[in-house]
Amino acid sequence: MKIIRVKDYEELSKHAANYIIEKVRKKPNMVLGLATGGTSEGTYQNMINDYKENHTSYKEITTFNLDEYIGLDGINKNSYRFFMDTHLFNHLDIDQTKTFVPRGNAKDPMAECNTYELLIKEHGGIELQLLGIGGNGHIGFNEPGSSFQSRTHLVELTDSTRRANARFFEKLEDVPTLAITMGIATIMESKEILLLASGEAKREAIKRLLEGKVSEDFPASILNKHSNVTIIADEAALSGLS
Ligand code: PGA
């Protein structure tokens, strides 16, 4: 794994955006895997700034997001579809019909998982997948104990994930208990992975990712088996390394 060390969140956001923008310029019809969460917000803002200043085009780009809460539709402000629309898609020239987020309000969520897998295949697979990391090592919503063989599936969120995400909701009880997520095997099939980590809250997770053993108890550890992973992390997130 290649590690790019940056000073802080601001630098991380600029660096990650430039990394993605460069790929998009080289291949304007690429398939991008995207992530939601506080970490990616700054990256998306920098991509929007670049779009305004330099007119990098996303017209031909296809995107697949990692996950979505079950029970929330795309206009619910806590849904990941809403997050993506408001933090990125609405501000670019991207074709909204080529932006895929699992549908949290699908009538048959299991069928939605299979459809999502098929869609990814039909588009030739993900070329660059952006990832955050949970304090418990989750990637997407693949919580500790998730099978490394998993494909897009339904998951029950752990208490720690629901508490970490409660900051976006009015109260903890409003955080859904179920989600749909790309599986670990799905994520591992992406040709390239870019993982972002910022702040002290991610220190232990980054230490375990880089120094711990590969185990389903710590889902992100599987990334050690991927041949093309870049981590952009700030000083605080890297401060636990021995
Ligand atoms: P965060 O979430 O960016 O909000 O910290 C990352 C994750 O849980 O994958």
Side-chain angles (χ1 to χ4, degrees):
M1 291 197 276
K2 190 172 146 208
I3 302 168
I4 300 174
R5 186 190 181 97
V6 294
K7 190 163 152 282
D8 52 19
Y9 180 70
E10 200 185 325
E11 253 190 45
L12 173 137
S13 301
K14 278 192 196 137
H15 217 98
N18 288 340
Y19 195 99
I20 297 168
I21 290 162
E22 205 173 295
K23 302 269 174 189
V24 169
R25 290 220 185 105
K26 270 198 195 127
K27 192 168 181 206
N29 65 345
M30 78 182 291
V31 179
L32 267 179
L34 298 176
T36 49
T39 313
S40 54
E41 248 184 84
T43 302
Y44 295 153
Q45 187 55 54
N46 278 279
M47 287 167 71
I48 294 167
N49 295 347
D50 162 79
Y51 173 71
K52 286 185 186 144
E53 281 162 33
N54 306 311
H55 314 292
T56 304
S57 179
Y58 295 81
K59 260 190 196 136
E60 306 296 324
I61 294 286
T62 301
T63 66
F64 285 94
N65 264 76
L66 285 167
D67 45 18
E68 179 62 285
Y69 292 112
I70 291 286
L72 305 189
D73 62 29
I75 52 171
N76 184 305
K77 70 178 183 29
N78 285 311
S79 71
Y80 285 168
R81 161 54 75 182
F82 187 86
F83 178 101
M84 291 309 301
D85 285 348
T86 52
H87 287 96
L88 188 65
F89 300 148
N90 289 350
H91 309 279
L92 306 175
D93 63 348
I94 201 161
D95 176 350
Q96 290 271 4
T97 65
K98 290 196 213 155
T99 66
F100 298 98
V101 181
R103 287 170 304 174
N105 62 341
K107 281 214 177 68
D108 182 346
M110 300 278 259
E112 176 69 6
C113 296
N114 296 333
T115 305
Y116 207 65
E117 283 284 325
L118 276 175
L119 275 171
I120 295 173
K121 276 209 184 76
E122 273 170 26
H123 285 84
I126 293 165
E127 293 173 89
L128 174 67
Q129 176 67 55
L130 184 65
L131 288 183
I133 183 169
N136 64 1
H138 74 202
I139 46 175
F141 270 140
N142 293 285
E143 300 284 31
S146 300
S147 163
F148 284 159
Q149 265 76 52
S150 58
R151 318 244 21 135
T152 302
H153 63 293
L154 300 178
V155 287
E156 198 164 330
L157 300 176
T158 60
D159 285 345
S160 77
T161 296
R162 291 185 65 239
R163 276 198 303 273
N165 291 2
R167 66 191 195 276
F168 300 111
F169 292 78
E170 258 176 39
K171 50 187 191 305
L172 179 62
E173 297 80 71
D174 292 346
V175 185
T177 53
L178 288 175
I180 192 166
T181 183
M182 263 188 217
I184 295 184
T186 322
I187 293 170
M188 285 295 281
E189 276 168 17
S190 168
K191 290 191 190 78
E192 181 179 1
I193 288 172
L194 179 64
L195 182 139
L196 310 180
S198 170
E200 273 192 31
K202 300 296 163 74
R203 188 174 54 195
E204 285 308 313
I206 289 299
K207 182 178 169 65
R208 202 161 160 195
L209 170 63
L210 296 175
E211 296 178 354
K213 60 179 191 335
V214 176
S215 147
E216 288 179 348
D217 292 340
F218 194 76
S221 63
I222 190 68
L223 299 176
N224 286 289
K225 304 276 188 199
H226 194 287
S227 61
N228 195 357
V229 178
T230 300
I231 298 174
I232 306 180
D234 62 16
E235 284 172 7
L238 291 169
S239 63
L241 297 184
S242 40

